[in-house]
Amino acid sequence: MPLLQIEEDGFRLDGDPFRIISGGLHYFRIHPELWGDRLHKARLMGLNTVETYVPWNLHQPRPDEFRMGAGLDLPRFLDLAAAEGLHVLLRPGPYICAEWEGGGLPAWLLADPSMRLRSRDPQFLAAVEDYFSRLLPPLHDRLATRGGPVLAVQVENEYGAYGEDTAYVEHLADSLHRHGVDVPLFTCDQPADLERGALPGVLASANFGSRSTEHLATLRSARPSGPLLCTEFWIGWFDRWGGNHIVRGAEQASQELDELLATGASVNFYMFHGGTNFGFMNGANDKHTYRPTVTSYDYDAPLDEAGDPTEKFAAFRQVIGKYAPVPAEVPPPRAAKFSLEAVELTESIALLVAAPALGDAVASHRPLTMEELGQGYGFVLYEAELPDAGPALLELEQVRDRAQVFLDGQPVGVLERECHENSLTFAVPRPGTALAVLVENQGRVNYGQGIHDRKGLLGRVLLNGSPLDGWTSRPLPLTATEDLPFGAGPATPTGPAFHRGTFDVDRPADTFLHLDGWTKGSAWVNGFALGRYWSRGPQRSLYVPGPVLRRGTNEVVVLELHAPGRERKVAFRDAPDLGPVED
């Protein structure tokens, strides 16, 4: 592969003038059997480069474990990009934002209450060094200096919006070099934050989605010479639970793109293909009110969540064709989808009954946080005995993020961080009544100072004004569903419960799971974690990648936290429902 050169008048590739026309697609948000399809479509739209973040929290789920296989096989992804003739902009973090759980920072960093993320805290820097030492050596052969597709590597991510410790960013740049990165480095920041996030001698780039001429002028003011690059050209947006589905019209977005390319600048669309926050990996924002992000990361991108070209794909392809060669090959039509109505979920088990099979309880005088339990994602079940009968006021200092409260297994209330709720009144029927509090991590904050986002019950628990002691804390990470003891307990449980059914498939293909009438929970197909659903919307379906299905009998499992749908049925349909649109 040619080498990228940063000159005063722009980029050059092995001495020839070069413009980066790139699009974001995150390998960790796409089923690995579909990587090749998405990369091929990127080239057909006219892209010469793709961009991806690297999620530290998936690659290193525990300090002593590093993963780079299956859906995390980054070397394979880079090889597929090279085979498609695409260059790569690599963004390894350690912090990535990306509307991803914790901004990509591992949950285990937060087990130490003194940890200061994105800083020169020696503990944090030691963890970053270890991460880079594991991640980067296997990628050396994929750097352009060694014939690979990676043209450039980003240092941190939008640091200027978080802090102003230039020495911290310099340390990361030095660390990347120490671990063998010898291609150009770059930083990216929103225009107002450029001075705080940039580094001397390192390419600075800007992130924006409109007013390209104005924002590029700000970048040029900060850097009087060198290439102009918009690392995140926002052509869509993400959704949050309780909001509308946000779209940006193809005509407006393509006009903004035309304005940007007319300046001669390079660009990376954010996103070319958004993908999905599978499992529990969505992030959240907290600007005085906590707002978790939905499962879909469709982002109103040129490729939709299922990888099909949208109107925006054609509009962008036409604009790109004014400035660069576009392949003659016609983009493929929408792929066939699998459909099946009324799949009955015939087996059920209450979560409170199944809990002992899902995690071991830890006794302590107070509730332990998820991080203290060595757990990253999912739920924690807290249990204690109430000493007295009669009226009770339960006060939980901090609920992170949603607590369902039960007395002797019967639901008595819900407390939501999003609504700033932390107290509940109820009547205790007898001394020794079993109190259970099921707390869901709805996604760690991925942006701003709120990234130190520990989960579970934090701080004191008071009952009628006095501390309530004698707790057990049971981690429920729900990383697998095959060990659920279906058949135990009542056939129609009340409260949170798992429901399982089977269905037959002749020809596996992409599909969308619809849970009409269900309230809130998570779903799995053949053990693959699809993500969360919630009747408050906007999203009302879950994307099921075709490779998850198999010919013959398949299994669907739904964890419903409240009431199951009519007759405990779900449907697989050929189109998504991402909710009412907000332009």
Side-chain angles (χ1 to χ4, degrees):
M1 284 281 184
L3 300 181
L4 184 70
Q5 299 152 299
I6 298 175
E7 306 290 349
E8 288 194 0
D9 60 347
F11 290 118
R12 293 184 181 273
L13 209 58
D14 276 359
D16 296 325
F18 180 67
R19 185 207 296 255
I20 296 171
I21 302 179
S22 177
L25 65 158
H26 301 154
Y27 61 98
F28 50 94
R29 281 180 158 129
I30 307 167
H31 192 284
E33 292 186 31
L34 301 174
W35 288 346
D37 172 80
R38 307 308 193 249
L39 290 164
H40 181 62
K41 289 170 180 171
R43 186 177 62 79
L44 293 188
M45 199 177 81
L47 304 186
N48 57 32
T49 305
V50 292
E51 166 270 318
T52 187
Y53 282 125
V54 180
W56 182 7
N57 53 8
L58 286 190
H59 282 282
Q60 195 170 11
R62 286 179 287 277
D64 59 351
E65 180 183 359
F66 196 82
R67 299 176 179 176
M68 201 178 276
L72 295 174
D73 192 347
L74 178 54
R76 175 175 170 266
F77 176 81
L78 297 175
D79 290 345
L80 289 171
E84 194 61 52
L86 294 166
H87 308 291
V88 176
L89 299 177
L90 191 67
R91 306 170 79 185
Y95 164 80
I96 63 172
C97 185
E99 290 75 58
W100 189 252
E101 223 277 350
L105 297 170
W108 49 263
L109 290 172
L110 296 173
D112 182 345
S114 69
M115 175 69 73
R116 291 180 293 115
L117 305 174
R118 304 184 74 188
S119 78
R120 283 184 286 160
D121 180 340
Q123 299 174 92
F124 179 67
L125 293 182
V128 173
E129 286 292 310
D130 181 65
Y131 164 54
F132 282 168
S133 74
R134 297 168 186 258
L135 172 73
L136 295 172
L139 305 183
H140 286 170
D141 290 345
R142 278 77 182 183
L143 299 175
T145 46
R146 295 162 176 80
V150 178
L151 289 181
V153 173
Q154 181 174 290
V155 185
E156 239 269 358
N157 185 66
E158 288 194 329
Y159 179 72
Y162 182 81
E164 50 187 355
D165 185 0
T166 301
Y168 161 68
V169 187
E170 287 176 336
H171 179 95
L172 295 182
D174 291 342
S175 181
L176 289 169
H177 285 143
R178 284 195 305 274
H179 291 288
V181 175
D182 55 3
V183 296
L185 301 180
F186 66 99
T187 61
C188 78
D189 288 282
Q190 296 177 45
D193 304 323
L194 280 165
E195 291 301 326
R196 290 186 296 274
L199 282 179
V202 172
L203 175 68
S205 66
N207 298 343
F208 52 84
S210 61
R211 306 194 334 257
S212 297
T213 303
E214 173 188 339
H215 292 317
L216 289 172
T218 301
L219 177 58
R220 178 55 76 214
S221 177
R223 291 294 169 93
S225 64
L228 293 174
L229 168 63
C230 177
T231 295
E232 292 186 14
F233 182 62
W234 304 319
I235 51 83
W237 207 246
F238 59 93
D239 296 338
R240 66 169 180 87
W241 293 114
N244 290 326
H245 174 47
I246 301 173
V247 302
R248 185 180 188 187
E251 182 178 358
Q252 179 200 6
S254 60
Q255 288 174 353
E256 296 283 358
L257 172 62
D258 203 348
E259 178 186 341
L260 187 152
L261 292 179
T263 68
S266 290
V267 66
N268 175 66
F269 307 120
Y270 196 94
M271 300 287 297
F272 164 70
H273 171 52
T276 308
N277 299 313
F278 292 118
F280 298 120
M281 300 312 295
N282 65 278
N285 283 282
D286 192 349
K287 299 177 181 178
H288 308 297
T289 298
Y290 174 79
R291 302 290 194 194
T293 303
V294 305
T295 297
S296 172
Y297 203 63
D298 177 88
Y299 218 87
D300 193 35
L303 288 190
D304 66 17
E305 190 174 6
D308 290 318
T310 67
E311 181 184 358
K312 203 169 281 183
F313 185 103
F316 281 15
R317 190 170 188 262
Q318 184 174 7
V319 171
I320 292 169
K322 294 171 59 177
Y323 300 94
V326 172
E329 182 180 345
V330 177
R334 184 176 185 270
K337 303 293 188 289
F338 168 77
S339 295
L340 183 65
E341 288 287 340
V343 176
E344 187 174 0
L345 278 54
T346 57
E347 300 176 273
S348 300
I349 181 171
L351 182 146
L352 298 182
V353 173
L358 300 173
D360 296 326
V362 179
S364 61
H365 71 279
R366 61 167 176 83
L368 300 177
T369 67
M370 188 173 280
E371 295 77 18
E372 289 174 317
L373 292 166
Q375 178 186 358
Y377 320 106
F379 298 75
V380 181
L381 178 62
Y382 299 100
E383 296 178 288
E385 285 191 359
L386 301 181
D388 303 308
L393 169 64
L394 180 69
E395 296 176 273
L396 308 173
E397 187 171 337
Q398 292 188 67
V399 174
R400 299 285 182 90
D401 300 305
R402 190 174 189 267
Q404 295 175 249
V405 183
F406 306 87
L407 295 182
D408 288 336
Q410 297 302 307
V412 294
V414 177
L415 299 174
E416 294 189 338
R417 173 183 179 183
E418 189 170 356
C419 299
H420 306 281
E421 298 170 331
N422 64 353
S423 64
L424 187 68
T425 58
F426 46 76
V428 180
R430 56 176 179 78
T433 292
L435 170 70
V437 184
L438 179 67
V439 179
E440 179 185 3
N441 165 7
Q442 293 190 118
R444 286 183 181 82
V445 171
N446 57 258
Y447 187 81
Q449 300 300 320
I451 57 174
H452 297 80
D453 191 9
R454 294 168 176 88
K455 297 301 187 181
L457 294 182
L458 281 63
R460 298 191 304 167
V461 177
L462 302 179
L463 184 68
N464 290 331
S466 299
L468 180 60
D469 298 322
W471 289 86
T472 62
S473 305
R474 189 186 302 272
L476 303 175
L478 303 187
T479 53
T481 57
E482 60 266 20
D483 295 329
L484 288 169
F486 285 101
T492 55
T494 58
F498 295 93
H499 306 273
R500 180 171 69 181
T502 60
F503 59 99
D504 291 329
V505 175
D506 292 330
R507 296 182 179 179
D510 285 0
T511 187
F512 298 89
L513 175 64
H514 289 249
L515 296 111
D516 302 342
W518 298 68
T519 305
K520 188 182 194 303
S522 298
W524 295 258
V525 168
N526 294 333
F528 183 90
L530 301 179
R532 311 175 204 254
Y533 66 91
W534 200 349
S535 59
R536 71 164 52 173
Q539 179 179 357
R540 299 187 183 279
S541 62
L542 292 171
Y543 170 58
V544 184
V548 167
L549 300 178
R550 53 183 175 242
R551 215 177 274 274
T553 301
N554 293 257
E555 175 189 80
V556 56
V557 172
V558 175
L559 168 60
E560 167 58 49
L561 298 173
H562 296 281
R566 296 183 301 274
E567 301 176 345
R568 289 188 292 182
K569 292 181 179 179
V570 300
F572 294 93
R573 298 181 182 137
D574 62 3
D577 182 354
L578 297 180
V581 167
E582 174 180 307
D583 292 321

